[in-house]
Amino acid sequence: MDIEEILRTLRFAGGDTAAIEVKSAAGGYPSTTLESLGALANTPGGGAIVFGLDERRGFTPTGVYDVQKLKQRLGNEAQDFTPHVRISISDAVVDSKPVVVAEVGECDAAFKPCTHVSGKSWVRSYDGDFQLSDLERQGFLSNRAAPHFDMAPVPGTSVADLEASAVAAWSDTVRREDPSGLGRFDDEDLLRHGGVVTGAGELTVAGLMMLGEYPQTWFSRLVVHVARVEPDGSFRNAKSLSGSIPRMLASAVDWVTQNVDYVMVSGPDGHLRDVPAFPVSVIRELVGNALVHRDLAPWSEGIAIHLRIYRDRLVITNPGGLYGLTVERLGREAISRSRNAKLVALGVNVSAPGGVRVVESLASGLIRVNAELDGQGLPRPTFVDTGIQFTAIVKATRHRAPRTPTTMVELIGAKQQQVLTALIEGGQVGVADLVERTGLSPTVVRRALTALREKRMATVVSGGRGRETTYEAT
């Protein structure tokens, strides 16, 4: 992994990413290296640890206390895992100071979780490394074989626990769209061949979750927990959404539209319009994916899907990682692979209240999500896969004023233009926020701000001792 590419990625993200961990290493061997080695080995695709950068100062180089000693200890610690952590170590130089990059290979899924001699294992989230609980360890163990948990029978259930109107609508759709295949069977055989009931007459997990009258009678935590997160970390309008998957999907979309902020955006015609901070169709697709692709293994039955609205982003998290593909391929190819094959097959012919299909039959949902966000000039979703948890992050639409007149743009350089555009879109923001929005280093951002202030195109809003300085466009 090229150091320049790493720096661009880190500065654009404004911090560590799911695949890149930064450690200073100027004063000695970082004490958290062990956890990062184990966590990245358990992360799909692996990742890299970069020694010799200071995250708090915009990833400026700090140097490494002793390059050879660091490499030797890294190699020794990699051998203390079962299986051994595969690492490739390379040297780099940033601003005349040494930097060490350790690329960590992903552990084979058949041997996960990669475990230290102490008995501990770690997993990487989008905001840090965490020690695996015994329950999460079961998640890795259950992934060692092809999953079929959606086809498991639910003891004590029968066709009487299905929602009659949902079954009728599903049957009509199947018979209309697949008349010579699944649709040729009578009602009883249709339910059996369609994977709704077992040969013994009990409902499958897939049948109960997709067409059941109230699945939470048996699975009380297979719900969607929603909440709006305030700046102080408190929750507002938190609740659990229950019912079948189609009903939870419709309820989640309704809740988002009622709790999301609306912002003014200037359209191509120059008129300002109020639009949701998060495109509703995008949220519908991502929530639907979480519902049908979540892990249904026994270890995850007590874990709800979480949907959180923050000031600047919406985060959807579900138990279970991707199956049969990587994050890099999401939204780029129309790939249909799922840990819950029968549940997905049912969802293709089931509509949520309002008439929208639960599952996109052509597996092109994320491609359409990217196209819509691209068309609105918004960043594409960020996806984080830890192997036992999957997270989708959508950035909020920000207030966007009309573009800066060309005559004014001609007065400033490219980097100053980037910072000015970020100020126009973000309102009152600080240097850290501008670094995140532009991908520029803090030093470059500060220089651009100085130049813009001299040209009276930006001004200081607030700041002072102990407070972050914020700026806005003038």
Side-chain angles (χ1 to χ4, degrees):
M1 188 176 293
D2 179 73
I3 188 62
E4 293 301 323
E5 179 185 351
I6 289 174
L7 287 171
R8 284 194 298 270
T9 300
L10 291 169
R11 286 169 178 164
F12 179 79
D16 292 339
T17 72
I20 305 175
E21 170 71 21
V22 172
K23 300 183 186 297
S24 173
Y29 190 80
S31 60
T32 56
T33 301
L34 190 69
E35 289 92 326
S36 297
L37 281 170
L40 288 171
N42 285 322
T43 297
I49 308 173
V50 185
F51 300 89
L53 298 178
D54 188 343
E55 179 181 355
R56 293 172 298 180
R57 300 178 60 186
F59 304 104
T60 55
T62 63
V64 174
Y65 71 103
D66 187 312
V67 170
Q68 293 306 316
K69 285 185 177 179
L70 181 131
K71 289 180 179 180
Q72 183 177 13
R73 186 163 176 183
L74 262 176
N76 291 338
E77 287 198 340
Q79 300 300 306
D80 289 337
F81 286 84
T82 303
H84 297 330
V85 174
R86 295 180 291 107
I87 59 172
S88 175
I89 305 174
S90 59
D91 296 317
V93 176
V94 178
D95 294 344
S96 302
K97 292 187 177 180
V99 172
V100 174
V101 179
E103 296 190 55
V104 180
E106 179 187 1
C107 173
D108 191 299
F111 300 103
K112 284 185 180 179
C114 184
T115 304
H116 188 250
V117 291
S118 64
K120 297 178 180 179
S121 301
W122 293 271
V123 65
R124 190 160 181 80
S125 182
Y126 65 92
D127 55 357
D129 300 327
F130 301 92
Q131 186 177 335
L132 281 179
S133 67
D134 290 340
L135 191 65
E136 290 168 327
R137 184 180 297 275
Q138 291 302 312
F140 275 113
L141 295 177
S142 69
N143 284 333
R144 290 184 174 183
H148 298 289
F149 299 104
D150 59 333
M151 285 300 293
V154 183
T157 61
S158 69
V159 292
D161 298 302
L162 296 173
E163 186 173 353
S165 60
V167 173
W170 170 74
S171 301
D172 289 345
T173 302
V174 171
R175 291 192 169 108
R176 182 177 66 252
E177 299 192 358
D178 190 17
S180 61
L182 180 60
R184 75 181 190 273
F185 296 106
D186 61 23
D187 291 349
E188 184 176 339
D189 286 338
L190 180 63
L191 290 174
R192 182 168 57 85
H193 288 300
V196 179
V197 300
T198 68
E202 294 177 318
L203 300 184
T204 64
V205 172
L208 178 64
M209 292 304 302
M210 193 63 71
L211 300 173
E213 189 171 54
Y214 192 68
Q216 288 71 29
T217 301
W218 291 269
F219 302 110
S220 60
R221 291 296 293 164
L222 296 193
V223 297
V224 181
H225 190 273
V226 296
R228 178 165 177 144
V229 184
E230 299 301 309
D232 63 0
S234 62
F235 285 176
R236 183 159 64 86
N237 293 347
K239 61 174 64 177
S240 288
L241 308 178
S242 61
S244 63
I245 284 177
R247 291 190 177 279
M248 287 191 286
L249 176 57
S251 296
V253 173
D254 288 345
W255 183 88
V256 170
T257 58
Q258 293 166 14
N259 287 274
V260 74
D261 290 331
Y262 281 74
V263 295
M264 280 197 309
V265 173
S266 58
D269 57 3
H271 295 295
L272 294 175
R273 296 178 175 84
D274 289 331
V275 300
F278 308 98
V280 174
S281 61
V282 170
I283 303 309
R284 180 184 292 110
E285 178 67 27
L286 296 179
V287 172
N289 285 346
L291 286 164
V292 299
H293 296 303
R294 65 155 292 157
D295 202 323
L296 293 170
W299 77 272
S300 68
E301 287 180 7
I303 304 175
I305 293 170
H306 288 146
L307 188 159
R308 301 284 185 262
I309 293 179
Y310 296 82
R311 177 186 62 85
D312 61 342
R313 67 194 186 280
L314 183 144
V315 180
I316 303 169
T317 303
N318 62 268
L322 294 175
Y323 180 76
L325 73 163
T326 61
V327 164
E328 290 73 23
R329 299 175 70 182
L330 290 178
R332 299 177 183 273
E333 307 171 42
I335 304 174
S336 180
R337 293 175 186 166
S338 172
R339 65 175 60 254
N340 304 316
K342 186 58 67 176
L343 185 67
V344 169
L346 281 171
V348 168
N349 295 309
V350 174
S351 296
V356 179
R357 295 286 178 98
V358 173
V359 175
E360 164 61 50
S361 61
L362 299 178
S364 61
L366 289 180
I367 294 177
R368 289 186 290 104
V369 162
N370 285 342
E372 179 168 351
L373 293 173
D374 290 346
Q376 295 186 31
L378 299 173
R380 293 182 176 186
T382 298
F383 300 114
V384 181
D385 179 19
T386 69
I388 57 172
Q389 178 177 282
F390 185 79
T391 301
I393 306 169
V394 183
K395 291 292 184 70
T397 302
R398 298 184 184 274
H399 171 81
R400 294 187 293 181
R403 294 184 181 276
T404 306
T406 303
T407 54
M408 188 169 288
V409 171
E410 290 172 350
L411 297 175
I412 61 178
K415 290 184 173 57
Q416 293 172 32
Q417 182 179 338
Q418 282 182 264
V419 173
L420 179 59
T421 300
L423 284 173
I424 292 172
E425 295 180 351
Q428 299 178 3
V429 293
V431 171
D433 199 352
L434 290 170
V435 168
E436 179 182 355
R437 292 166 182 269
T438 63
L440 302 173
S441 71
T443 300
V444 172
V445 167
R446 290 190 179 94
R447 288 174 181 168
L449 286 170
T450 299
L452 291 172
R453 289 174 63 194
E454 291 174 352
K455 295 181 175 74
R456 297 184 179 181
M457 299 171 73
T459 186
V460 173
V461 179
S462 64
R465 182 171 297 178
R467 293 186 299 158
E468 179 187 21
T469 302
T470 58
Y471 305 83
E472 67 178 3
T474 55

